[in-house]
Amino acid sequence: MRPFLLLAALAVAGCASTAVPVELDPLPTRRAADGLLQRPDLQALVDLQVRRDGAALAEALASPDSLVRARAAFALGSVQDEGAIDALRLRLDDPVPAVRADAAFALGQTADSSAGVALAISLRREATASVTAELLDALGKIGGQADLSAVLDAPLPTALEPARALALARFGMRGVVSDAWAGWLSAHLQDADPGVREGAAYALTRSPLEAWRSQAGAVHAAFDALGGDPARADLVRAVGRLEDPTDIPRLGAALESDPDWRTRVNAARALGAFGDQAARAALARAVDDPNPHVSQTAGGALASAGATPEAIDLAAAVLADDDRPWTVQASLLPLLAPSQPAAVLDWSDRQSDPFAKAAALSALGASEDGAVLSRLFTAARSDDTRLAVAALGALRQRWAVGGYGARRFYEAFAHGLRRADLATTSAAAPALADSAFWPLGAGALLREVYADLDAPTDVEPMAAIVQAIGRVRDGAEIDFLVGVALAGHPALREAARDALNDRLTEGVEVTLDAGGSPATTTIDWAHLANLGPRPRLVLDTDRGRVVIEMDAESAPQTVQRITLTAAQDLYDGVPFHRVVANFVVQGGDYARRDGYGGPETAIRSEFTRVRYETGTVGMASSGKDTEGSQFFVTHSPQPHLDGRYTAFGRVVEGQDVVDRLLQGDLVREAHIERDR
């Protein structure tokens, strides 16, 4: 953390004063266009961003051209160079609002709380609404207690109250809270503005419970009054966090009758935390919900609550019903696996979707049947990595229970590791850290396989191996970890640093130079200019058509990767390998189709001012600058993803299709439409 500057201003930030009238200009959902695709000088700044050259971008903040200053500030929001903080602070006084907005955004991305003072001072005097919104957001991301007071006390026009609510949610995510914070949120849970209601409710889902528990009455009142309102989906989560058994009827009623499937999904998750018979009964009824996301979530919650005779009978009946989506049936498999593993195996044999078969193998980790164990050992060597990974996970579960000899399990995990496959290696490495495997040579094997992998292509399994070696005690692990920590991909250096810190005496910390950035692709500006600033990605899926409008000016390298991939027909026939109800659907793994694949060269994280609202499209990653070809689409607002995952577009047609997609559904065909 940088030392505080302008110490005398710290007290000023929290004091009351006469408000500067705020100009009510429109609040854009993304940056205003700056002509990037036609201006080589702006393109040069993006090239600096790709090279992660923060010093050169900081120099550009002094340009006489306001578009250059704004673009440089925006680029620094992705580079996140602490050395540019002072230069960015100066741009908060820029005469051009667009520059001030981008500077505020970039400061919010730095994770440096010392910038909070300057942001709070700027908030007091800012007269342009779009800039004020970015200042509020940045303060929510990095501000301290004094800055929280500044946000609570700021006199704002009604149009900016949703931005205040979201900023308060961001404070809460970081544990920066107060009684006044909790009081403001509870007072606005039933606000007339839906954006304020949603922001206030969301804040309660990711903030320390004890900070707002005293406001439970207001939470219950809003919950009861807002049936069908989008904010109720988060209020359900808040009520569930209270863990009050008297709320079971309230949650059960929402699960049964709320018209919004997202609220019903969250109600099912909340009820899953209760072992009460009434909660189980509500979940059992919801297994028949017409929305497969709700019925699947209810089934999973019922299974996690533990097996009862009634739940087992329900699971058997659902598995026998061929009209049910396999995802719903699979959610109940853990109820049958311990006592009826043959039924699970029979169901698996009837399935054609590899994801379904993998779900069955995962469930069988709870079975103690000898025949099942042999099936798992066989599946762990399957050519289909989805099956192999599921079997390895089940074997880890069986091994943890105990009662088995180490050799056979070691051989299975060693085989998975030696495949040098992103999925199986990542699954096997943690298992081999078990002390029972050290005498069998686990440490040497982990280091041997690591040496055969290459970053960034193999960065995920390499990181898993580093983490596993951090738990091995065979005398060679420290030298290995120090070697990784001093060279290699940033994600691996970080993993090695964390492993070393876990090994050292409390209070001793290893700090390392971040080093350079991994190689990436250059940007073909002629290609992007031909597409235009708002090209569209059209996905014809098993459930219907989805049209995504992309923002080439905010995320040019990402849009280039997506459009070139689609133009080569690589997305055709690719499944949505991950679907999390009321969160995201994720696809784009054309290389493997199991969620572990993508192109050989990663692209940079391009953090944008596009918010993760319903239908926002972002890039999946395993850490900064590891994006490939996989993308996801949100079911609902997910503000905690803002500024952490590249947001490059939004659904403009077919959000109802997105909401119907299930795991294993395919993109039949993908193509690109130019911005006309």
Side-chain angles (χ1 to χ4, degrees), residues 539-542 571-576 631 665-670:
L539 305 175
D540 290 316
T541 76
D542 284 342
Y571 285 137
D572 296 359
V574 174
F576 290 94
F631 58 88
D665 284 345
L666 302 179
V667 173
R668 295 295 180 180
E669 182 181 3

Side-chain angles (χ1 to χ4, degrees), residues 447 469 473-481:
R447 293 187 289 272
I469 290 176
R473 306 292 187 269
D474 67 355
E477 73 279 3
I478 296 296
D479 287 344
F480 169 84
L481 292 171

Side-chain angles (χ1 to χ4, degrees), residues 636-656:
S636 56
Q638 304 295 333
H640 63 287
L641 303 181
D642 292 347
R644 297 175 56 207
Y645 292 84
T646 301
F648 67 93
R650 62 190 177 95
V651 173
V652 294
E653 178 186 329
Q655 182 62 36
D656 59 325

Side-chain angles (χ1 to χ4, degrees), residues 438-457:
W438 301 349
L440 301 177
L445 175 62
L446 287 163
R447 293 187 289 272
E448 173 192 333
V449 172
Y450 182 93
D452 290 336
L453 301 175
D454 294 307
T457 305

Side-chain angles (χ1 to χ4, degrees), residues 242-527:
L242 294 170
E243 297 183 343
D244 185 346
T246 64
D247 284 327
I248 291 175
R250 177 179 274 116
L251 294 169
L255 175 57
E256 182 175 356
S257 62
D258 196 280
D260 191 330
W261 69 268
R262 298 165 184 82
T263 295
R264 302 201 302 279
V265 162
N266 284 356
R269 289 180 177 139
L271 284 167
F274 296 93
D276 185 275
Q277 183 177 355
R280 291 174 178 272
L283 291 169
R285 291 192 296 271
V287 171
D288 289 327
D289 193 283
N291 185 292
H293 293 311
V294 179
S295 53
Q296 178 185 355
T297 305
L302 187 63
S304 66
T308 64
E310 295 80 8
I312 291 173
D313 289 344
L314 174 63
V318 171
L319 258 64
D321 184 355
D322 292 336
D323 292 331
R324 301 267 190 167
W326 75 259
T327 53
V328 177
Q329 296 175 318
S331 70
L332 294 163
L333 293 177
L335 289 169
L336 291 175
S339 60
Q340 301 181 36
V344 177
L345 290 173
D346 179 66
W347 179 86
S348 176
D349 291 340
R350 300 199 310 267
Q351 306 305 309
S352 59
D353 193 315
F355 290 108
K357 291 181 176 293
L361 290 169
S362 296
L364 288 169
S367 170
E368 298 181 4
D369 185 274
V372 167
L373 186 60
S374 296
R375 179 86 166 248
L376 293 175
F377 280 122
T378 299
R381 295 173 178 264
S382 172
D383 291 336
D384 190 317
T385 55
R386 288 167 287 195
L387 305 185
V389 168
L392 287 168
L395 287 172
R396 287 180 63 188
Q397 185 178 349
R398 292 288 293 267
W399 171 252
V401 173
Y404 304 100
R407 174 61 66 177
R408 192 177 183 191
F409 281 84
Y410 175 78
E411 290 175 352
F413 297 137
H415 180 271
L417 191 80
R418 287 194 185 99
R419 289 172 68 159
D421 176 88
L422 274 72
T424 60
T425 300
S426 297
L432 288 167
D434 191 291
S435 59
F437 300 136
W438 301 349
L440 301 177
L445 175 62
L446 287 163
R447 293 187 289 272
E448 173 192 333
V449 172
Y450 182 93
D452 290 336
L453 301 175
D454 294 307
T457 305
D458 303 323
V459 69
E460 290 182 66
M462 293 174 80
I465 291 175
V466 169
Q467 292 161 4
I469 290 176
R471 297 194 294 275
V472 171
R473 306 292 187 269
D474 67 355
E477 73 279 3
I478 296 296
D479 287 344
F480 169 84
L481 292 171
V482 170
V484 174
L486 294 176
H489 189 281
L492 301 177
R493 292 199 300 272
E494 182 177 355
R497 180 202 63 194
D498 292 344
L500 285 167
N501 284 329
D502 288 343
R503 296 292 303 274
L504 297 176
T505 304
E506 184 176 356
V508 178
E509 184 175 356
V510 176
T511 57
L512 299 166
D513 186 348
S517 296
T520 188
T521 57
T522 58
I523 297 179
D524 183 345
W525 293 107
H527 167 72

Side-chain angles (χ1 to χ4, degrees), residues 104-117:
F105 164 74
L107 287 170
Q109 290 291 107
T110 63
D112 190 325
S113 61
S114 69
V117 176

Side-chain angles (χ1 to χ4, degrees), residues 14-384:
C15 297
S17 72
T18 304
V20 176
V22 177
E23 174 192 342
L24 293 178
D25 63 336
L27 293 176
T29 57
R30 55 190 170 200
R31 280 186 92 239
D34 62 5
L36 172 68
L37 305 187
Q38 287 75 44
R39 287 194 52 166
D41 56 341
L42 299 183
Q43 294 166 11
L45 295 175
V46 177
D47 292 336
L48 291 174
Q49 174 185 331
V50 169
R51 294 199 295 272
R52 297 305 193 220
D53 191 340
L57 289 168
E59 290 182 8
L61 292 173
S63 169
D65 187 330
S66 65
L67 290 179
V68 170
R69 297 196 302 275
R71 174 57 68 169
F74 181 64
L76 284 166
S78 293
V79 177
Q80 298 172 312
D81 184 349
E82 290 187 0
I85 290 176
D86 289 341
L88 286 168
R89 275 194 266 233
L90 294 175
R91 289 305 103 205
L92 294 177
D93 293 324
D94 197 278
V96 178
V99 179
R100 300 198 299 273
D102 280 326
F105 164 74
L107 287 170
Q109 290 291 107
T110 63
D112 190 325
S113 61
S114 69
V117 176
L119 290 165
I121 293 173
S122 296
L123 176 66
R124 297 174 56 76
R125 65 191 181 208
E126 183 55 58
T128 302
S130 57
V131 182
T132 301
E134 289 298 333
L135 289 167
L136 289 166
D137 206 61
L139 283 166
K141 291 178 179 177
I142 67 171
Q145 283 290 343
D147 306 314
L148 172 61
S149 297
V151 170
L152 284 166
D153 296 339
L156 300 175
T158 302
L160 280 171
E161 290 298 345
R164 189 200 316 254
L166 181 56
L168 294 177
R170 298 202 194 286
F171 276 106
M173 291 181 211
R174 297 184 294 110
V176 181
V177 296
S178 66
D179 290 343
W181 168 89
W184 192 98
L185 294 174
S186 66
H188 290 81
L189 291 173
Q190 298 188 58
D191 195 274
D193 188 319
V196 176
R197 294 196 301 272
E198 291 177 39
Y202 183 82
L204 304 182
T205 68
R206 291 183 173 270
S207 304
L209 174 60
E210 294 310 314
W212 60 267
R213 187 189 288 275
S214 62
Q215 306 297 328
V219 174
H220 285 138
F223 180 97
D224 295 339
L226 296 177
D229 191 272
R232 200 182 196 213
D234 286 321
L235 288 170
V236 164
R237 295 172 62 194
V239 169
R241 293 186 67 198
L242 294 170
E243 297 183 343
D244 185 346
T246 64
D247 284 327
I248 291 175
R250 177 179 274 116
L251 294 169
L255 175 57
E256 182 175 356
S257 62
D258 196 280
D260 191 330
W261 69 268
R262 298 165 184 82
T263 295
R264 302 201 302 279
V265 162
N266 284 356
R269 289 180 177 139
L271 284 167
F274 296 93
D276 185 275
Q277 183 177 355
R280 291 174 178 272
L283 291 169
R285 291 192 296 271
V287 171
D288 289 327
D289 193 283
N291 185 292
H293 293 311
V294 179
S295 53
Q296 178 185 355
T297 305
L302 187 63
S304 66
T308 64
E310 295 80 8
I312 291 173
D313 289 344
L314 174 63
V318 171
L319 258 64
D321 184 355
D322 292 336
D323 292 331
R324 301 267 190 167
W326 75 259
T327 53
V328 177
Q329 296 175 318
S331 70
L332 294 163
L333 293 177
L335 289 169
L336 291 175
S339 60
Q340 301 181 36
V344 177
L345 290 173
D346 179 66
W347 179 86
S348 176
D349 291 340
R350 300 199 310 267
Q351 306 305 309
S352 59
D353 193 315
F355 290 108
K357 291 181 176 293
L361 290 169
S362 296
L364 288 169
S367 170
E368 298 181 4
D369 185 274
V372 167
L373 186 60
S374 296
R375 179 86 166 248
L376 293 175
F377 280 122
T378 299
R381 295 173 178 264
S382 172
D383 291 336
D384 190 317

